[in-house]
Amino acid sequence: RKEVEQDPGPFNVPEGATVAFNCTYSNSASQSFFWYRQDCRKEPKLLMSVYSSGNEDGRFTAQLNRASQYISLLIRDSKLSDSATYLCVVNRRGGGSNYKLTFGKGTLLTVNP
Amino acid sequence: DAGITQSPRHKVTETGTPVTLRCHQTENHRYMYWYRQDPGHGLRLIHYSYGVKDTDKGEVSDGYSVSRSKTEDFLLTLESATSSQTSVYFCAISADRVVHEQFFGPGTRLTVL
C-alpha cells in the first residue's frame, strides 16, 4: 500500500459546484496533515493544514479521521481559479530527529464556466 | 512569498555531463530540501539539509549529491547526468524540524538528452 494515496481524478466540475477530494495514508504514526495546491507548471503552495477537529477556511473544509487514516478536502461554490492540482501531504517522524513529508500524486481539478 | 530562487530555471544537457542546480533563500531557514517531480510519481525527496554542512539522503538519492556551505545556498549536483534524471526539480525550505510548512522555489526544468 502506498504511503499516501489520493483519488486519481481528474475532476471536471462546473462553476458553483461542490467537489470533494479524498486521501488515505498508511502510516499510523503520521503526525500532521496538509493540502497543497499546485498550478500548472508552478510550485506547490500550502492551501491549508488539517486538524483533528476539522477546519474551515472560507469555501474550503478539511477533515481528518485518524481511526480510518483518511483525509478529505471539500471545496464549495467552485471558482474558475480553483482549477489546479491538489496534493495531499502527510508528515511523520523519519530517522533520528528528522521529519518526513510524503506527497500524494495529486488530483487535477478543472472548473468549467 | 518566501524568498527562494532557483537557477537555472531551464537546462538542456547531454548524457554524461555534470550538472549543478542552485537553490538560494533569503529567509534564513535552517532546513532545505531538493525534490524531483515526475508524472505518475508526485514529489519525491532527493536530499535534505538540516544545517550548514549537515545533509542527509532522501528516497531517491542515487546519482545525486548535495552541498551546503552557507545557510542561504543548497546545491544539487548530478555528477554524470542520465536521461532518467530528466525532471522538474524543486527546492524547498522550512523553519523548523517538525516541518509544519514547506515553501517551494519556482522549479528547474532539466532535460537530459
Side-chain angles (χ1 to χ4, degrees):
Chain A
R1 181 180 174 187
K2 289 188 171 55
E3 194 162 344
V4 178
E5 291 200 72
Q6 294 185 238
D7 285 339
F11 285 52
N12 285 279
V13 302
E15 270 186 294
T18 296
V19 60
F21 301 132
N22 301 316
C23 173
T24 57
Y25 60 96
S26 61
N27 193 319
S28 59
S30 298
Q31 297 190 341
S32 48
F33 311 89
F34 311 91
W35 285 100
Y36 276 68
R37 169 194 170 128
Q38 186 172 22
D39 293 315
C40 187
R41 301 177 76 86
K42 297 286 191 181
E43 72 272 23
K45 292 186 178 181
L46 180 68
L47 176 66
M48 58 195 303
S49 301
V50 187
Y51 302 118
S52 296
S53 54
N55 49 297
E56 191 173 303
D57 182 3
R59 298 181 293 109
F60 299 84
T61 300
Q63 302 246 322
L64 168 65
N65 184 323
R66 285 188 184 270
S68 302
Q69 296 180 200
Y70 171 90
I71 307 157
S72 67
L73 176 68
L74 184 77
I75 305 175
R76 292 181 301 279
D77 188 23
S78 299
K79 310 291 185 192
L80 296 177
S81 57
D82 293 334
S83 297
T85 296
Y86 290 83
L87 306 172
C88 175
V89 184
V90 172
N91 181 21
R92 66 171 173 84
R93 192 158 189 164
S97 61
N98 295 309
Y99 288 75
K100 175 186 173 185
L101 279 186
T102 301
F103 290 79
K105 293 181 182 179
T107 303
L108 176 62
L109 170 67
T110 302
V111 181
N112 302 301
Chain B
D1 288 347
I4 312 170
T5 56
Q6 291 184 231
S7 59
R9 293 293 313 279
H10 301 269
K11 186 170 182 67
V12 180
T13 191
E14 294 188 349
T15 297
T17 59
V19 176
T20 295
L21 308 183
R22 180 181 183 237
C23 177
H24 179 78
Q25 60 143 331
T26 58
E27 304 296 322
N28 201 35
H29 283 355
R30 178 179 174 186
Y31 296 85
M32 298 185 76
Y33 310 82
W34 277 107
Y35 292 90
R36 60 178 290 175
Q37 187 173 36
D38 305 287
H41 288 279
L43 278 157
R44 292 181 291 174
L45 183 65
I46 305 171
H47 281 280
Y48 64 98
S49 169
Y50 44 95
V52 173
K53 298 194 189 315
D54 291 324
T55 65
D56 207 347
K57 295 179 179 180
E59 60 183 296
V60 290
S61 58
D62 288 348
Y64 301 95
S65 62
V66 290
S67 66
R68 191 167 177 202
S69 58
K70 298 185 289 185
T71 298
E72 57 266 34
D73 289 325
F74 193 31
L75 303 180
L76 177 71
T77 297
L78 291 66
E79 301 291 346
S80 178
T82 67
S83 58
S84 65
Q85 293 176 311
T86 292
S87 187
V88 180
Y89 291 85
F90 287 103
C91 173
I93 63 174
S94 65
D96 59 57
R97 68 184 181 92
V98 184
V99 192
H100 288 114
E101 178 177 3
Q102 288 187 359
F103 299 94
F104 285 81
T108 294
R109 291 188 173 273
L110 176 67
T111 302
V112 183
L113 301 175

